């Protein structure tokens, strides 16, 4: 059964929101957004290997990836 997460909105702008969660809710938050999925962890390992071997591209913003 999914766990309800408590989060406090600390900042709100036209482009996004900033939230604050407690340390106790952090693991549940990571699980809820998929940070523990096998596919994500596999991609994270591949990314780390690329970094180790110098196969990196410098970016100023994540926006560059979606433009």
């Amino acid at each position: 059964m999914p766990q309800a997460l408590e989060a406090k909105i600390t900042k709100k702008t036209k482009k996004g929101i900033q939230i604050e969660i407690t340390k106790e809710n952090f693991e549940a938050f990571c699980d809820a957004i998929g940070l523990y999925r096998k596919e994500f962890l596999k991609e994270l390992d591949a990314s780390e290997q690329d970094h180790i071997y110098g196969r990196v591209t410098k970016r100023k913003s994540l926006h560059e990836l979606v433009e």
Side-chain angles (χ1 to χ4, degrees):
M1 180 174 209
Q3 178 181 352
L5 299 175
E6 286 188 38
K8 178 181 166 185
I9 296 176
T10 57
K11 185 177 181 182
K12 194 173 187 180
T13 67
K14 288 182 181 180
K15 293 185 178 184
I17 61 171
Q18 182 175 344
I19 63 170
E20 184 177 302
I21 60 173
T22 64
K23 289 187 281 186
E24 292 79 18
N25 286 338
F26 182 71
E27 187 173 352
F29 173 78
C30 290
D31 187 43
I33 63 172
L35 295 183
Y36 294 139
R37 288 185 336 217
K38 285 183 183 181
E39 298 84 11
F40 177 77
L41 295 175
K42 185 177 176 182
E43 289 298 321
L44 196 59
D45 287 339
S47 176
E48 184 177 13
Q49 289 300 313
D50 286 342
H51 181 72
I52 289 169
Y53 291 110
R55 298 184 299 247
V56 297
T57 303
K58 298 238 180 204
R59 303 273 184 211
K60 291 182 181 179
S61 166
L62 290 176
H63 258 305
E64 294 177 20
L65 298 175
V66 295
E67 291 179 340

